[in-house]
Amino acid sequence: MEKRGIQLEPIGIIRSPLKDPAQAPKQGSEAAVEGWLELEGAYRDGLLGLEPGRNVLILYWLDRADRNRLQVHPRGDTNRPLRGVFVTRSPHRPNPIAVETVQVLHVDGTRIRVRGLDALDGTPLLDIKVA
Amino acid sequence: MEKRGIQLEPIGIIRSPLKDPAQAPKQGSEAAVEGWLELEGAYRDGLLGLEPGRNVLILYWLDRADRNRLQVHPRGDTNRPLRGVFVTRSPHRPNPIAVETVQVLHVDGTRIRVRGLDALDGTPLLDIKVA
């Protein structure tokens, strides 16, 4: 198969109280952290109709991930046998895109306050969809 | 904010009976189409432990999408008021990545037979995660 590169452009950045990778909950856990999705001004029109209370799916780029790792010990537990990254939620994978549902609490122009974040502060935001 | 480009590398391709965009169901509908996820050989180790019956989340690249559109009529119905793409499931969005749950029917080396596809034939596959 022909290799094709695809270029992503972050639409904004995530502001979160989680500053340290060691603090970050495992994906799929019951996160309850609140933070902001800060979109760049150029994407403002894309938010038309967004209302508080709504659940949305967010996609973000795990910029600290190891893109070359294809197997991991589930949940970092070396007593568990290695598993392929495509059979886990590990952040380490060839295209490290996280998918998460958050609840919209407040919309202030291009800033969106949300609950239920797992993302570290400064994480590039890629997309928002209705859940 | 500083602009940062991110480069994705497809891990494979989706083989689907859906050949024509007009046939493609709207995202979120009850699709029941079967097809194949065909991974490149280099990613084989990432499938260790994948078993039939499992539900997985797949991410794929909507390569026919318009990345410059920020508002759409929901479900293409021009009688409905325009809405921001981030408040829809439209394929048209700045980073057109689809997220979908499919069921694994069969694993044959780097080819995975799945049920529940919405993707068009030839779509670049980006990721597989446990659902």
Side-chain angles (χ1 to χ4, degrees), chain A residues 1 3-13 39-40 42-43 45-50 54 57 59 61 63 67 70-71 82-89 93-95 97 99 122 124 126-131, chain B residues 1 3-13 39-40 42-43 45-50 54 57 59 61 63 67 70-71 82-89 93-95 97 99 122 124 126-131:
Chain A
M1 198 180 73
K3 281 257 182 193
R4 276 184 293 176
I6 294 169
Q7 190 76 20
L8 293 181
E9 201 64 68
I11 60 170
I13 200 164
L39 267 68
E40 291 191 63
Y43 299 105
D45 287 350
L47 295 176
L48 180 68
L50 183 63
R54 191 100 197 220
L57 208 64
L59 275 60
W61 185 250
D63 52 357
R67 299 182 67 176
L70 287 177
Q71 297 187 341
L82 279 171
R83 185 177 289 179
V85 292
F86 302 130
V87 195
T88 74
R89 280 274 181 168
R93 51 186 61 247
N95 295 301
I97 298 167
V99 176
L126 300 175
D127 198 11
I128 303 172
K129 301 177 194 287
V130 290
Chain B
M1 199 179 73
K3 282 258 184 191
R4 276 184 292 177
I6 294 169
Q7 191 77 20
L8 294 181
E9 202 64 69
I11 60 170
I13 200 166
L39 266 69
E40 292 191 62
Y43 299 107
D45 287 350
L47 294 177
L48 180 69
L50 183 62
R54 190 99 197 222
L57 208 62
L59 275 59
W61 185 251
D63 53 356
R67 300 182 66 175
L70 287 177
Q71 297 188 340
L82 279 171
R83 185 175 291 180
V85 292
F86 301 130
V87 196
T88 74
R89 280 275 180 166
R93 51 186 62 245
N95 294 303
I97 298 167
V99 177
L126 300 176
D127 199 12
I128 303 172
K129 299 177 195 289
V130 291

Side-chain angles (χ1 to χ4, degrees), chain B residues 109-127:
Chain B
T110 54
R111 299 174 75 229
I112 306 161
R113 181 85 179 162
V114 297
R115 175 187 292 145
L117 271 182
D118 274 344
L120 292 173
D121 189 51
T123 297
L125 179 67
L126 300 176
D127 199 12

